[in-house]
Amino acid sequence: MSDSSSGSGSRREVSDSSSGSGRLWGGRFSERPDEAAWRLGRSVDTDVRLWRHDLDGSVAHAAELRRIGILTEEEHTTILEGIEAVREEFAGGTFVFLPDDEDLHGAVERRLLEICGETGGRLRAGRSRNDQIANDLRCYLAEALDALVSAVRDLQSAILDQAEAAVDWLAPGYTHLQRAQPVTLGHHLLAHAWALDRDVARLLDCRGRTVGQSPLGSGALAGLTLELDPERYANALGFAGVAPNSMDAVADRDFAVEFLSGAATLAVHLSRLGEEIVLWSSKEFAWARVGDAFSTGSSIMPQKRNPDVAELVRGQSGRVIGDLVSLLVTLKGLPLTYNRDLQEDKPPVFDAVDTLMLALPAMAGTVRSLAFDRSRLADAAGGGFALATDLAEELVRRRVPFRAAHERVGEAVAACEARGVDLTDLDAASLAALLPELGDADTAALTDVATAVSRRAASLGPAPARVVEQAAALRRRIGSATMA
Ligand code: ARG
């Protein structure tokens, strides 16, 4: 067995200088790669997390080589044993990459040669790193997407717990960050949970395409002369089918773009939730207190309680958006088929997975830790002339054209402002004096915030009864039981 120290010899070497090393080429070269060029292209530190998928692909490939007689029964067994030995090394953290290992595929082949002798060199027949890496990344992403979906579901469940506890808590609703109309806190919180529900749908849709079309059998770009069966690879590795075109199969990274696009949208949703938590926990809003375990202090100001988790998650959304842009820019302008630029697909994908897998549980914990101030929210709910639209709509019921109703209530608001009161502070007589068009309307009900909210009872509205239904619908979607 040759050792793997071929990198330590003179610069000029015989043409088989790569034999036994993790560099899978060299026959036609008379010089070793330049050190800087080698460092530039070496990708083992990034690829390493694909090891399980790479080995699973190798098991499927060995079976195909055996089926068409390229491997004897004995060679097949030897290779399978070798793959399992390598698997144990990776699983146990003892696999050692050598300086001459160019990428994961080269490292695995080098190690198989060490373990199985020259039989290890037979496994490369009928495949290319181009179809291998496309397979590995697809399989990795499918698994990563499952983990991400559970993490999003858990965050939704944290939001649902809070929303169900606050179905009838009154809260001010905002547009332009100005108080607009009253809502229920449950309704507001569930808005975030529904956005996350679309994220899950996008991620699952992407998962379907990730393991939709198997690239194995494409070889470098043009398929193979060996009678390997792409369908069997697809079945063995859990793909729904086979890619229709070998050139597309090795050049395509749409599945990664779709993932990053879904990831960026999810990150933006987390950022918007984070922003609200920052606002809610400020003295100015004082809607909620973030739990100690999800807050941090200041090194100089002893009194500080900062909502750092929410801020960090808001900040990280920029990185995930950058990951999407990075891959799109890498792909733009690449001619078919494989180009080494494609090696730059993995860092943004891994970064987005890692970032979200850190952010999601931290946000779920932060949401669970929120202690909302019910009376403060209720006091704020009716302020800022939040029931002005309700009065205008009452006038519309009484046949006043909305245009005129808007004007009339606007004048009433101005009159109240001049007196330093809100519409909800007026008694029936003062309101009737300002808006005689109200006639015999129940003005007490018209100026009561809880009544105003429960009247918004259409299916998409904030009325407590609707919030209960929304929560139940979301519970069904996330597959968790409704809280007692
Ligand atoms: N490390 C490469 C990548 O990540 C694997 C494929 C290399 N193919 C090649 N022809 N050099 O894309």
Side-chain angles (χ1 to χ4, degrees):
M1 196 52 273
S2 66
D3 73 27
S4 47
S5 60
S6 56
S8 58
S10 66
R11 277 184 77 80
R12 293 196 71 81
E13 293 191 18
V14 290
S15 62
D16 71 344
S17 60
S18 69
S19 80
S21 89
R23 175 156 57 89
L24 301 182
W25 42 271
R28 56 129 38 248
F29 294 91
S30 56
E31 277 186 37
R32 279 189 52 75
D34 171 82
E35 190 55 34
W38 186 251
R39 278 206 308 272
L40 173 69
R42 191 165 179 269
S43 61
V44 292
D45 293 337
T46 308
D47 305 348
V48 61
R49 35 163 130 194
L50 301 174
W51 66 265
R52 209 154 34 75
H53 309 290
D54 201 65
L55 296 180
D56 291 346
S58 287
V59 170
H61 185 55
E64 274 301 280
L65 291 179
R66 171 65 201 123
R67 190 182 62 80
I68 64 172
I70 298 291
L71 290 180
T72 65
E73 190 63 47
E74 205 190 328
E75 288 165 343
H76 183 220
T77 306
T78 302
I79 284 182
L80 285 186
E81 286 170 3
I83 292 172
E84 290 322 305
V86 173
R87 192 187 293 277
E88 269 170 37
E89 291 182 1
F90 273 114
T94 59
F95 188 96
V96 178
F97 286 106
L98 299 181
D100 262 8
D101 294 338
E102 185 179 22
D103 55 20
L104 174 69
H105 323 298
V108 169
E109 180 172 310
R110 183 265 305 159
R111 189 70 188 118
L112 281 179
L113 285 173
E114 290 166 2
I115 296 169
C116 313
E118 70 175 14
T119 301
R122 294 185 181 274
L123 188 60
R124 205 198 301 170
R127 67 176 176 178
S128 156
R129 291 179 292 173
N130 299 354
D131 57 356
Q132 249 183 299
I133 195 67
N135 170 74
D136 295 358
L137 189 57
R138 283 173 175 274
C139 294
Y140 162 85
L141 250 188
E143 273 189 21
L145 281 163
D146 288 340
L148 278 167
V149 166
S150 333
V152 178
R153 288 305 194 202
D154 186 55
L155 172 57
Q156 284 181 293
S157 144
I159 296 172
L160 269 161
D161 290 349
Q162 289 281 9
E164 283 171 336
V167 284
D168 57 353
W169 290 27
L170 302 174
Y174 290 77
T175 63
H176 311 266
L177 202 57
Q178 306 291 321
R179 285 196 194 153
Q181 292 178 335
V183 293
T184 44
L185 179 60
H187 192 58
H188 185 145
L189 291 171
L190 289 185
H192 287 288
W194 285 113
L196 294 170
D197 209 55
R198 292 191 296 278
D199 290 319
V200 167
R202 265 184 288 273
L203 296 178
L204 290 176
D205 180 57
C206 169
R207 190 196 190 285
R209 253 187 300 283
T210 294
V211 284
Q213 301 188 339
S214 165
L216 289 180
S218 298
L221 76 161
L224 303 150
T225 63
L226 298 173
E227 293 78 26
L228 298 160
D229 181 0
E231 287 287 348
R232 286 175 200 261
Y233 289 114
N235 287 338
L237 296 170
F239 282 80
V242 174
N245 179 313
S246 63
M247 294 178 75
D248 183 36
V250 294
D252 167 35
R253 293 295 183 272
D254 291 2
F255 62 95
V257 171
E258 287 178 31
F259 160 64
L260 287 172
S261 161
T265 310
L266 167 58
V268 166
H269 289 152
L270 297 182
S271 179
R272 293 181 77 172
L273 175 59
E275 166 66 11
E276 293 219 320
I277 292 173
V278 170
L279 286 174
W280 298 342
S281 59
S282 70
K283 266 282 166 292
E284 287 63 27
F285 270 72
W287 280 25
R289 185 176 166 95
V290 178
D292 276 1
F294 297 91
S295 304
T296 51
S298 154
S299 59
I300 176 168
M301 296 170 282
Q303 85 285 9
K304 283 303 287 291
R305 263 178 89 76
N306 298 326
D308 282 24
V309 171
E311 294 170 71
L312 283 164
V313 168
R314 188 178 61 187
Q316 286 174 336
S317 62
R319 273 237 314 286
V320 180
I321 293 166
D323 291 330
L324 168 64
V325 173
S326 158
L327 182 60
L328 285 170
V329 177
T330 297
L331 295 174
K332 173 190 170 307
L334 286 190
L336 296 183
T337 52
Y338 180 85
N339 302 270
R340 193 64 180 273
D341 317 46
L342 289 177
Q343 185 161 296
E344 294 301 314
D345 59 357
K346 284 170 284 301
V349 167
F350 294 163
D351 180 68
V353 171
D354 291 346
T355 303
L356 289 170
M357 286 306 289
L358 271 178
L360 285 162
M363 277 302 257
T366 302
V367 168
R368 288 196 169 94
S369 83
L370 290 173
F372 287 95
D373 183 336
R374 183 174 190 170
S375 67
R376 167 118 184 147
L377 282 161
D379 287 348
F385 300 96
L387 297 188
T389 315
D390 298 45
L391 288 174
E393 286 177 355
E394 184 59 30
L395 296 186
V396 164
R397 275 205 190 82
R398 290 165 185 275
R399 299 291 305 149
V400 180
F402 188 77
R403 186 183 167 82
H406 190 285
E407 270 311 283
R408 294 285 299 120
V409 176
E411 287 157 15
V413 166
C416 282
E417 261 181 345
R419 288 187 228 162
V421 295
D422 199 300
L423 285 163
T424 47
D425 301 325
L426 299 179
D427 59 22
S430 326
L431 194 57
L434 273 179
L435 293 168
E437 302 92 323
L438 284 173
D440 60 356
D442 179 355
T443 48
L446 276 173
T447 51
D448 179 62
V449 182
T451 308
V453 171
S454 51
R455 288 176 73 197
R456 295 170 149 79
S459 62
L460 46 53
R466 296 295 91 79
V467 177
V468 169
E469 288 165 8
Q470 279 185 54
L474 269 166
R475 286 276 174 208
R476 283 193 295 278
R477 294 184 63 80
I478 73 175
S480 76
T482 305
M483 273 199 347

